[in-house]
Amino acid sequence: MTQTDTPSTPVLLPRPLLRLLAAALLPLALAACNGGDGDDDDDTPVVTPPPVVVDPAPEVETPTRNTAYLKAKAGDVIQVRIEELRPTQAAIGYDQIYYKLGRWQGDFNRATWAADAALHLDYLDRTVGKKFDDYCEDMGGTERAQKFADIAAARAARLDQPETFACKDAPGTHTDNLKTVVVGWDGNLYLTDGHHTFSSLRTIFDGGPQLPVWVKVDANYSDLTTAAAFWQRMVDERRAWLRDGQNQPITVDQLPSRLGMASADEAGGMQEDRYRSLVYYTRDIAYKNGSLPEFAEFLWGDWLRRQAAGGQLPALDQYKMLAPATPAQILAPSSFNATLAPGGANDSYAAAVRDASLKMGALAVTDIVFDDRTAASLGVIPLTANVVAGVSVKGSRDTLDELTRNDVKDNGTPRNAGKLWFAANYRACGKPAAGTCWGW
C-alpha cells in the first residue's frame, strides 16, 4: 500500500508564549537595523540640531504724523491753538513777558480813581484794553473795534470768550502782522516768530494753551523724511536759534516742548535769557523793529555778551536789575543828552539799557554784528553817526526816559506807564493790586 504525503498542520503556540518570544527577538532586530556592513561598531546616538530661529528685521520707526496741516502752503493763514505751536528757540526774555503781564492786568479795585469812574475807565482802557488791542493786532485784525463802554464791559471781556470783545478787522485780514510757522517733517507747526507773544498769551489768566490764535505759514517741509533733514534745513535757513538762556549751544533735542516760561508746576517751559530782555528795552533807542531777520534780538544779545566779555561793556551783574535790589533802585532813571553824554543813575536797569544802547548806536551801519549780519540789517539806529551829522536823537532819548515812568501824571490823571516800570513791578510784586509793592 502506498503511503500518501499529507500537508503538515502548523503548530500553534500559546498566545502568552508568542509575546515572550517577540520580546526576546526585539533587541536582535534593532541591532540588525543599526548594523551597516559590520565594520561600524559606533553606537553614538544621532543628535538632531535645533531649528535656527531668525529674528525678523526691525520695522523702521515712523512717527505719527499730524495730518491737519500737511497740505498747508506758504502764505496760508490758519487758526490753531497755542498748544499746537512748537518752539524753535530755547529761551525768551522774561522781562518782556513781565511787561505784558503787568500791563494787561489793570486793577479793577484800584482806589486811585475810585471817585471818578471816567478816569478809572481810562486807566482800564490803557491796561486791560491794551491786552485786546495787542491780541487783535497780532492776530492780523489791527486794534479793538471800540474801547470799553463802561467798567462792567471791561470786567466782562475775556480773550477766551470771543463774544465779549471784537477786533476792528477780522483775524487774518492783515497778514503782515501775523506770526509765522513752518510745517515740519512730522506735520507739526514750528513757530519761527512770536515766541514772546504766544508765551504771554499762554500765561495770562484768560489765555492759556487752548487759546485760539492765527498764524501765517512761512514754509511746508513735510516732504522731508527725517527729523535730521528737517532740522538741518531749519538751521541752514536760520529758522532756529540753538542756544540756551546762557547763549550756550544746544541740540534740537534740548529745545523746550512748549511755549511759556519755565515753571515748577509744568514741565517743558522756556529758559530765561536776560540779554534778550535787555535788547528788547533798547528797541526804538538803538534799533528799530521793522522787517528784521528771524532772531535779530538774539543776535544783538550775542554781540552785547561779547562786548561785556571783552571789557567793553559792564556785565549785567554790575547793575541793580533783580532782587534783592528794590523796585525803586531797579527803576532809577538813566539818560543821555543831545551829545550822548550819559546822565542819571549808573547802576539801575535803565542804566544797563542806556549803556547797551550807546554801544549799539556807536556801530557803523556796515559793521558786522553776527556772522554776516550787519548793524544795518539788524535795524541799528546810528546814534553816534547821527550826532556827528547833526541829526536829532531826541526820539531815542525820549524812549529811554519813558521806560521807568509810572502811570499817573502830575495832575493825577492816568497815562501809559513805561515798559520797564510794568516789568520790574510785576517781577517783584505779581499782579497789580492794592497793598502790594505796586504802591497804591
Side-chain angles (χ1 to χ4, degrees), residues 39-111:
D39 294 332
D40 185 2
D41 60 356
D42 185 1
D43 59 357
T44 303
V46 178
V47 178
T48 303
V52 177
V53 178
V54 180
D55 292 332
E59 296 183 4
V60 177
E61 292 187 13
T62 302
T64 302
R65 304 189 87 194
N66 181 355
T67 60
Y69 308 110
L70 292 179
K71 295 183 179 180
K73 304 182 300 296
D76 285 354
V77 175
I78 54 178
Q79 180 183 343
V80 302
R81 301 181 308 277
I82 290 177
E83 64 187 357
E84 295 182 85
L85 303 173
R86 306 291 181 88
T88 56
Q89 65 192 51
I92 49 179
Y94 281 18
D95 285 334
Q96 181 173 342
I97 307 297
Y98 292 147
Y99 155 59
K100 295 290 188 178
L101 298 178
R103 182 163 186 177
W104 287 353
Q105 299 186 87
D107 183 3
F108 285 94
N109 300 315
R110 185 169 175 174

Side-chain angles (χ1 to χ4, degrees), residues 72-78 172 175 178 180-181 215-220:
K73 304 182 300 296
D76 285 354
V77 175
I78 54 178
T175 59
L178 293 171
T180 53
V181 297
V215 293
K216 180 171 63 176
V217 177
D218 206 28
N220 187 329

Side-chain angles (χ1 to χ4, degrees), residues 138 175 177-181 191 193-194 197-198 214-217:
D138 290 329
T175 59
N177 293 343
L178 293 171
K179 308 307 179 185
T180 53
V181 297
L191 189 66
D193 178 43
T197 293
F198 294 129
W214 282 258
V215 293
K216 180 171 63 176
V217 177

Side-chain angles (χ1 to χ4, degrees), residues 154-351:
R155 284 186 180 275
R158 291 180 59 97
L159 290 173
D160 56 3
Q161 296 177 8
E163 69 277 7
T164 63
F165 70 97
C167 298
K168 185 175 181 181
D169 299 307
T173 300
H174 304 278
T175 59
D176 288 345
N177 293 343
L178 293 171
K179 308 307 179 185
T180 53
V181 297
V182 168
V183 182
W185 78 292
D186 52 3
N188 289 316
L189 300 177
Y190 291 85
L191 189 66
T192 55
D193 178 43
H195 291 79
H196 289 79
T197 293
F198 294 129
S199 290
S200 300
L201 291 171
R202 190 186 192 279
T203 307
I204 196 70
F205 71 93
D206 56 343
Q210 297 186 9
L211 185 72
V213 295
W214 282 258
V215 293
K216 180 171 63 176
V217 177
D218 206 28
N220 187 329
Y221 296 153
S222 61
D223 59 331
L224 298 176
T225 57
T226 66
F230 168 68
W231 284 110
Q232 188 61 57
R233 185 162 185 177
M234 292 287 282
V235 170
D236 290 345
E237 296 181 353
R238 299 176 177 179
R239 297 179 189 269
W241 180 251
L242 298 181
R243 304 280 185 94
D244 65 12
Q246 300 301 317
N247 203 42
Q248 297 302 304
I250 62 170
T251 66
V252 295
D253 294 332
Q254 294 172 289
L255 286 171
S257 60
R258 64 168 178 85
L259 296 170
M261 297 179 288
S263 168
D265 299 328
E266 183 182 9
M270 305 182 74
Q271 300 174 28
E272 178 175 16
D273 185 335
R274 293 182 60 204
Y275 274 92
R276 175 60 179 78
S277 292
L278 177 66
V279 172
Y280 173 69
Y281 289 109
T282 68
R283 183 179 295 180
D284 295 327
I285 304 174
Y287 81 102
K288 289 286 186 183
N289 191 39
S291 300
L292 300 183
E294 305 291 2
F295 310 110
E297 288 88 352
F298 285 107
L299 306 187
W300 277 119
D302 177 87
W303 184 83
L304 290 173
R305 279 182 162 98
R306 283 184 275 123
Q307 305 311 301
Q312 304 301 308
L313 188 70
L316 294 188
D317 60 6
Q318 301 300 304
Y319 300 97
K320 296 175 180 176
M321 303 172 72
L322 302 168
T326 65
Q329 292 173 317
I330 294 169
L331 293 169
S334 186
S335 62
F336 57 82
N337 65 15
T339 63
L340 306 183
N346 290 316
D347 61 354
S348 65
Y349 204 136

Side-chain angles (χ1 to χ4, degrees), residues 112-126 147-151 412-414:
T112 310
W113 299 289
D116 192 322
L119 291 181
H120 198 183
L121 182 59
D122 183 18
Y123 157 72
L124 293 173
D125 260 319
R126 295 171 184 271
K147 293 184 177 182
F148 297 129
D150 49 39
I151 293 177
T413 60

